[in-house]
Amino acid sequence: MNRKVTTIFTLIALLLAAACQKETATPPGNENDWVYNPTPYNLEVPAFFPLLDIPSGNPMTVQGVQLGRMLFYDPALHHEGARACASCHVQEFSFSSDPEVLPHINLAWNSAFLWDGKVQGSLEDIMLFEVKDFFKADLGRLEAHPDYPRLFYEAFGEGGITYERAAMALAQFERTMASGNSKYDQVLRQEPGVFLTDQELNGYDLFFTEEGDCFHCHGGILFTDNEFHNNALDAEPEVGLGAITGSPFDRGRFKTPTLRNIELTGPYMHDGRYATLEEVIDFYSEGLHASPTADPLMKALPMGGKHFTGEEKSALIAFLKTLTDTSYTTNPSLSSPF
Amino acid sequence: MAKVFTLFRAGLLTLALALSFGCNEEEASGSLLHLNFNHNVGAQELGLNDTWYNSAAGHPFMVERLKYYTSNFALENAAGERIVIREVHYRDVEKPDTRTFEWKDVPPGEYTALSFVFGLDEVVNVDGGLPNTTTNINMEWPLPGDQGYHYMKFEGRYDLNGSGVIKPFNLHTGATGNNQNYVDVYLPFSHPMKLSGGTWQLNLSMDLNEWLQNPNTYDFEVFGPMIMANQNAQQVLKENGGSVFSIGAVEKE
């Protein structure tokens, strides 16, 4: 009887020891000096920006942001190593480049992504799409990398390299990509000696009244409503959001891009048909096309456009240029870590 | 036998006391009241994009978007006493999760009317008056000299006199030029609503036609697509706003 009890206790002790061993097991790669002790990241949100909803499952950490930054700039994320996120999302151009490439700026406040809204949800959702579906990332390539196994461990602990963790790291880095230091922001913050010129002020008045009526889609502190509109670009619009929803009423609806740093993110429209801001304003002034799904907010549609005067066009463009934030496009903490 | 009878009496007394406490507890507890915001156009249920409706001014119209605020909900009893909850509810017809305003812990009572503000009162309707969320930011009313938020965005297209000429309309209501323009909505119940705990569903319906016809005929063509700074149009809609809501079924779950 006593022997039996002893045997049972021994077995329990062995099981507990095994469990404890598992708890303190060597991290992947047998690197005993790897440490999982993430440091909380203090995210600075620009003044007047909306409350930021950070998923509880992906808290911001210094290690996570740094890993995301590396993945953003490293072609190793691509299944053939052909390109990095930064190949198309170029900092100098507010993390944009080609016509179809929407700028990466203040994406943390977005909930619908890509021109046609193919991905909706959180930054983690869009980044998972980018990693898994768009880049078709080869996890083996990352696992064989001299640094990434350790960097993933330091950011997320045990569990190795996964698509989800790569997306989480990228989402953390993207949350640091906040632009709120344009001339317009400085005026809002009433910084000494910063004022809008008369022309910029005229542009502001046009922008934020129904005379110009830009604000209904491009308004608020983010200069986008994060919704989808058919802005009367074509009489026979491309499918747009309709390709995702299957609804004929969504034909021609595309995501409203932010106007922050718009000066740097040409060419314009989802297909890049306009090379300059002047061409864009000309379109809203004289170039609207009726179609069954043209947005009611295109109030001047029956007249073909707003018919701005030359002065008004210049004023609008002058105001748009006050949204340029070069501290964002030169921010060293957003630049390549390599 | 006497002992059994005594025990039986004691049992009954305990049961009665327990039931009594149970009832008291229910009477004393507040109710959860769900105000459900539904929409119709005349006799038809509202459908976005796909349905054309007749308007009093003679222009068939369809609806693409409908977003609005209601606030300052109050229940009134026969003595005219009111309980008020100074909260704001945002409704976007495209987002089902905005259908219901949850009013928690409504005190027990016999209520004869519901009232609320359509839009926002002057206390809330100032720049930054609502929490700084992307939803509220999209409802801002940024006209220089004005303040606050759109009370309503009711947007669509109309067919000019049924001629096939399609034009946009945007019934954007809000405060402009020192006119607050919010609407006090007062809805008496056909039978008193006796709340005594539990969860209640109170169905409200907004008839969009009422914005266009009662007591004033609102003509899209007369006021045009831009009415934010047009107080005449705002006034017509304010006057029509008193009759747009009605109370439907009131049910306890």
Side-chain angles (χ1 to χ4, degrees):
Chain A
M1 181 69 180
N2 281 345
R3 190 175 294 169
K4 258 186 182 173
V5 170
T6 311
T7 309
I8 289 168
F9 273 113
T10 309
L11 278 172
I12 290 172
L14 281 170
L15 280 171
L16 282 172
C20 291
Q21 264 187 351
K22 198 176 179 187
E23 191 76 16
T24 56
T26 310
N30 296 320
E31 299 290 340
N32 293 314
D33 55 342
W34 293 357
V35 176
Y36 175 57
N37 184 23
T39 312
Y41 185 93
N42 183 26
L43 185 66
E44 287 181 21
V45 174
F48 308 114
F49 272 43
L51 307 168
L52 193 54
D53 191 15
I54 297 175
S56 58
N58 190 23
M60 303 273 291
T61 65
V62 172
Q63 290 80 358
V65 170
Q66 178 60 14
L67 173 60
R69 182 180 173 193
M70 290 181 72
L71 292 173
F72 186 87
Y73 280 96
D74 195 343
L77 191 64
H78 188 265
H79 68 110
E80 291 176 335
R83 61 175 184 270
C85 307
S87 304
C88 296
H89 297 283
V90 181
Q91 184 176 16
E92 181 186 355
F93 306 117
S94 197
F95 295 97
S96 177
S97 58
D98 295 329
E100 287 103 35
V101 178
L102 276 163
H104 281 198
I105 174 172
N106 301 329
L107 285 192
W109 288 271
N110 279 219
S111 55
F113 303 93
L114 308 178
W115 280 108
D116 59 4
K118 186 171 186 174
V119 179
Q120 308 218 6
S122 66
L123 267 177
E124 281 74 8
D125 295 319
I126 179 64
M127 290 304 142
L128 185 59
F129 166 82
E130 299 285 359
V131 169
K132 202 172 178 180
D133 298 326
F134 191 60
F135 268 31
K136 296 181 171 55
D138 177 359
L139 297 184
R141 181 193 295 271
L142 296 177
E143 282 159 356
H145 192 276
D147 296 322
Y148 282 122
R150 175 178 55 81
L151 293 171
F152 272 82
Y153 183 83
E154 288 174 354
F156 299 112
E158 288 196 43
I161 297 176
T162 63
Y163 293 121
E164 287 74 18
R165 285 181 162 184
M168 287 163 70
L170 282 164
Q172 289 190 39
F173 176 57
E174 290 277 353
R175 286 198 172 90
T176 70
M177 298 168 74
S179 167
N181 193 32
S182 64
K183 179 179 181 181
Y184 175 77
D185 295 300
Q186 292 165 15
V187 171
L188 278 189
R189 294 195 295 260
Q190 300 183 336
E191 291 189 6
V194 188
F195 302 98
L196 295 184
T197 65
D198 287 346
Q199 188 186 43
E200 291 164 349
L201 207 49
N202 289 340
Y204 171 92
D205 284 344
L206 279 167
F207 190 98
F208 282 111
T209 61
E210 288 186 296
E211 296 306 309
D213 208 5
C214 314
F215 72 92
H216 274 112
C217 299
H218 293 286
I221 194 73
L222 298 172
F223 287 89
T224 172
D225 62 359
N226 201 27
E227 293 187 359
F228 294 81
H229 301 275
N230 174 354
N231 64 346
L233 203 55
D234 294 302
E236 292 181 14
E238 289 178 38
V239 64
L241 179 65
I244 308 303
T245 64
S247 168
F249 306 115
D250 288 332
R251 174 167 281 277
R253 288 181 177 171
F254 289 92
K255 179 180 171 168
T256 310
T258 179
L259 298 188
R260 285 185 171 275
N261 275 342
I262 193 68
E263 182 184 4
L264 309 175
T265 57
Y268 304 104
M269 303 297 162
H270 68 276
D271 52 6
R273 68 180 65 183
Y274 299 129
T276 64
L277 286 176
E278 284 75 7
E279 289 177 31
V280 173
I281 300 297
D282 284 345
F283 157 70
Y284 285 112
S285 184
E286 291 99 20
L288 305 187
H289 296 282
S291 70
T293 60
D295 201 289
L297 288 168
M298 304 308 296
K299 298 168 189 171
L301 182 59
M303 289 82 73
K306 287 287 187 182
H307 296 280
F308 297 123
T309 65
E311 274 185 21
E312 288 171 332
K313 289 179 180 179
S314 300
L316 275 170
I317 291 169
F319 173 68
L320 290 175
K321 288 182 177 176
T322 71
L323 304 177
T324 302
D325 176 5
T326 52
S327 71
Y328 181 69
T329 56
T330 58
N331 184 344
S333 67
L334 303 179
S335 64
S336 173
F338 300 111
Chain B
M1 186 65 187
K3 223 178 191 180
V4 171
F5 184 71
T6 308
L7 277 173
F8 179 69
R9 261 199 327 195
L12 271 183
L13 186 65
T14 309
L15 184 64
L17 279 171
L19 284 174
S20 160
F21 272 110
C23 290
N24 279 343
E25 196 169 88
E26 190 167 332
E27 275 176 21
S29 67
S31 300
L32 174 61
L33 181 60
H34 286 168
L35 301 179
N36 302 316
F37 287 86
N38 307 306
H39 309 89
N40 60 287
V41 187
Q44 294 171 270
E45 195 174 317
L46 173 64
L48 296 182
N49 295 305
D50 59 353
T51 310
W52 288 80
Y53 307 98
N54 293 319
S55 73
H59 312 300
F61 69 100
M62 53 76 70
V63 183
E64 182 158 324
R65 287 187 204 93
L66 179 62
K67 306 172 180 184
Y68 59 88
Y69 289 115
T70 47
S71 56
N72 295 1
F73 303 94
L75 285 168
E76 187 177 291
N77 66 17
E81 295 165 333
R82 303 170 81 232
I83 54 162
V84 181
I85 183 164
R86 293 183 67 82
E87 288 190 16
V88 175
H89 181 63
Y90 171 76
R91 179 74 168 107
D92 178 347
V93 172
E94 289 182 278
K95 294 181 177 161
D97 62 348
T98 64
R99 178 173 175 251
T100 300
F101 172 70
E102 281 197 351
W103 188 348
K104 292 172 183 160
D105 286 327
V106 181
E110 191 168 307
Y111 298 102
T112 55
L114 169 75
S115 65
F116 56 87
V117 165
F118 182 82
L120 306 165
D121 68 16
E122 47 274 89
V123 176
V124 177
N125 194 43
V126 295
D127 292 345
L130 291 175
N132 194 15
T133 63
T134 49
T135 296
N136 291 332
I137 285 174
N138 282 344
M139 291 292 279
E140 284 175 353
W141 183 275
L143 305 193
D146 289 344
Q147 285 211 64
Y149 302 85
H150 288 73
Y151 300 156
M152 174 170 74
K153 292 181 179 179
F154 168 12
E155 301 168 358
R157 304 179 190 86
Y158 65 99
D159 180 349
L160 180 63
N161 296 314
S163 65
V165 175
I166 308 298
K167 293 184 163 188
F169 72 84
N170 293 270
L171 301 194
H172 289 183
T173 65
T176 188
N178 295 321
N179 302 287
Q180 288 302 319
N181 292 329
Y182 60 80
V183 181
D184 288 313
V185 179
Y186 185 80
L187 301 170
F189 298 125
S190 53
H191 304 288
M193 182 173 67
K194 296 176 186 175
L195 297 186
S196 56
T199 300
W200 294 71
Q201 305 291 340
L202 197 164
N203 289 299
L204 294 160
S205 195
M206 174 198 278
D207 183 349
L208 297 189
N209 257 346
E210 289 293 289
W211 288 112
L212 311 175
Q213 65 187 22
N214 187 19
N216 312 298
T217 298
Y218 185 97
D219 190 327
F220 300 127
E221 188 66 11
V222 168
F223 290 113
M226 300 188 293
I227 65 162
M228 290 178 71
N230 181 344
Q231 182 53 29
N232 291 334
Q234 297 288 335
Q235 184 64 30
V236 165
L237 292 169
K238 175 183 162 67
E239 290 172 10
N240 289 358
S243 63
V244 301
F245 283 99
S246 60
I247 292 179
V250 181
E251 295 164 345
K252 186 178 183 186
E253 282 183 1

